[in-house]
Each structure stands twice: as structure tokens, then as C-alpha cells.
Amino acid sequence: MNRYFLHQYFAQETASRLAILRHTPQHITLIGADGDISRALLAQPFPQAQFTEYDPRSDWLAHAATQRQPTGLLNKLFHKTIPQICQPFDFRLPEAQADLLWANLALLHTAEIVPILENWAAALKTDGLLFFSHLGGNTLPEIRRLLAAHGIACAAPTLVDMHDLGDMLFHHGFYDPVTDTAELVLTYQNPDTFWQDMDNTGVWAALRVSDDTAARAIVQDAWQTGELTQITLETVFAHAIKKIRLPENESVVQFYPRKPAV
């Protein structure tokens, strides 16, 4: 089973939006190791960029590193080692270091969105770009209805509406936020594959069910009986530009050339 199937889908969809970049990023910060999928995608258009990768899971970092081991003598001689930092997603990042910050489904592993966005904004240089993928509030309606029928609540505080996410970006360090969404319907033949996707991506944890053991048993039984055959994810893709940070009581003054007299 491909443990990075969904990561690959979301990374490729996010990468399709890179055409808006006007400048080549020199330093790219990766939030979340995904089997080296995101780095490999970004290295194609930006081969000279320096990467730094952050993830709280040491085994995920280690696996990403193994995926980029060079083969052949020349590749080994010119191979660039990518710094990897194992730390929680809410730990402070180096300030104003990155031209581009990229997070593939990383928000699913966080407790609150706003502090993470502020951390990402601080990590970007002025006019640096943020690209990330996430899941919206209409994710897993089939499972939510099933669990609600059994009296199990799903708080899902980080699975938010696309427009709310755009507002969060605008009010917490970014301007010109762009978010778009679509439905992704997945059909599973094997419940084991379903659980792998739910746990690897962090979607199940993001539901914040009131009784995890009972909820898993209910969902597993639904797969076994055929009551559950497919799930729906609300995909969210977003990008935004880091705002200029000015001292208190200061503002940007812009001058425009005077129009010639008619």
C-alpha cells in the first residue's frame, strides 16, 4: 500500500498553482515530511533552491531522507544534504528565512490554525509566498453522520470553511489570500487502506471524536457490513503573500507618477 497516496495527490494539485510565482525562491521551507514528494516536485522548477524540512515525526523525516539518496558517483559527489529539523509544528521557525513556505496537509496535525499561520508568516521574508493544502469543514460527512447516529461527537476544530481560512490568512500575517475547494470522493475495497490514509494524513485525528475507541469500532463495523463504501474529502488549496511588518504607528506611503495634463 502506498502510504503517501493522498500526500502525492495534494502536493501535485498544489504545485499546479506555482505559475503565479514571479521570482525564483532561493530558500524553501517544507512543513511536514511526505516521503520527499513535495521536495521533489519543487526541485524541478527550482533546482538551485535550498530546502529545510520540519516535522515532529523522526521516522517520517528519516524516510524522506532515504528517498533522496543519490545513485552513481557523480550524483553522490554533487548531492546536497537537506537540513531536517524534528520539532512540533507549533514551535517557532527561524524568522524571515524563507522565500517560499510549503505545507502539505500539515495543518491536520495541529491543534489550532491561527498560531500556526502566524508562525509561518514570521518565517517568511517580506513578500514571501505561502502555499499549503488542507481539508475543509465538509470532510467525511458519511462518517460524521454515522458517528452522530451513535451519539459520538466530532469537534473537528481545524476543519474549517474555505472562506474562514482566507479570513484567518488575511488577519494573521498575509495579504491577497486565495483559497479554492473541491470534493474528492474515495472508494475503498479494503478498510485497512482506509485506516492507513486516515492515520497517515491526520484526518482521523483532526475529527477529534469524543470516544476514539468506540468510534473506530463503529466505523470498522460499517466497512465490514458494507454500510460504508466511500468517503468524501473537501480539499482546500491556498496561497498568500506575507505582509510587510512595520513598527507600531507606521504605515506604507506610496508615490505614483503624476498623470500628464490632457
Side-chain angles (χ1 to χ4, degrees):
M1 293 186 290
N2 179 7
R3 66 186 289 193
Y4 297 110
F5 162 70
L6 284 173
H7 288 89
Q8 184 168 22
Y9 171 80
F10 278 88
Q12 289 173 337
E13 286 295 311
T14 307
S16 69
R17 292 153 171 80
L18 287 171
I20 69 162
L21 266 69
R22 297 179 182 177
H23 305 287
T24 301
Q26 301 302 308
H27 190 283
I28 299 174
T29 293
L30 300 172
I31 306 297
D34 57 6
D36 201 43
I37 291 168
S38 289
R39 188 221 51 95
L41 279 172
L42 291 167
Q44 294 176 20
F46 313 124
Q48 302 305 316
Q50 294 181 328
F51 290 85
T52 306
E53 188 170 48
Y54 293 83
D55 198 293
R57 301 159 295 188
S58 58
D59 56 328
W60 282 56
L61 288 170
H63 185 261
T66 63
Q67 299 306 298
R68 47 182 172 256
Q69 290 299 320
T71 57
L73 180 58
L74 283 177
N75 286 336
K76 290 180 179 180
L77 286 173
F78 294 100
H79 176 63
K80 294 188 295 185
T81 301
I82 295 173
Q84 293 181 314
I85 294 89
C86 187
Q87 67 176 42
F89 287 125
D90 58 354
F91 274 29
R92 296 298 295 176
L93 298 166
E95 191 165 345
Q97 183 183 75
D99 305 295
L100 172 64
L101 190 147
W102 173 284
N104 187 22
L105 297 178
L107 277 178
L108 292 173
H109 300 277
T110 63
E112 296 180 77
I113 293 178
V114 166
I116 301 300
L117 295 182
E118 292 176 342
N119 191 16
W120 291 354
L124 282 164
K125 298 175 184 177
T126 298
D127 287 335
L129 277 163
L130 167 67
F131 280 81
F132 67 94
S133 59
H134 190 44
L135 292 175
N138 292 325
T139 291
L140 300 181
E142 306 88 349
I143 289 177
R144 293 191 193 197
R145 288 193 296 267
L146 176 65
L147 294 180
H150 289 80
I152 294 179
C154 300
T158 59
L159 301 180
V160 298
D161 178 79
M162 172 187 73
H163 302 290
D164 293 336
L165 187 58
D167 289 341
M168 291 178 189
L169 286 164
F170 181 78
H171 292 292
H172 297 281
F174 296 92
Y175 69 92
D176 287 350
V178 176
T179 58
D180 60 88
T181 183
E183 281 192 354
L184 176 64
V185 179
L186 300 174
T187 301
Y188 289 90
Q189 302 298 323
N190 186 335
D192 291 343
T193 307
F194 161 78
W195 285 114
Q196 175 184 269
D197 287 348
M198 294 300 97
D199 290 331
N200 282 348
T201 58
V203 184
W204 179 264
L207 285 179
R208 305 283 180 84
V209 296
S210 56
D211 186 333
D212 187 73
T213 302
R216 285 180 179 267
I218 291 165
V219 172
Q220 180 68 17
D221 183 65
W223 282 113
Q224 298 292 352
T225 61
E227 180 183 358
L228 193 61
T229 59
Q230 64 182 30
I231 60 167
T232 304
L233 304 178
E234 183 188 11
T235 65
V236 177
F237 301 95
H239 59 265
I241 306 170
K242 192 256 183 75
K243 284 181 181 177
I244 298 173
R245 298 178 65 184
L246 296 172
E248 190 175 355
N249 299 322
E250 291 190 12
S251 60
V252 175
V253 177
Q254 294 180 312
F255 295 92
Y256 298 93
R258 180 181 297 177
K259 291 182 179 179
V262 178

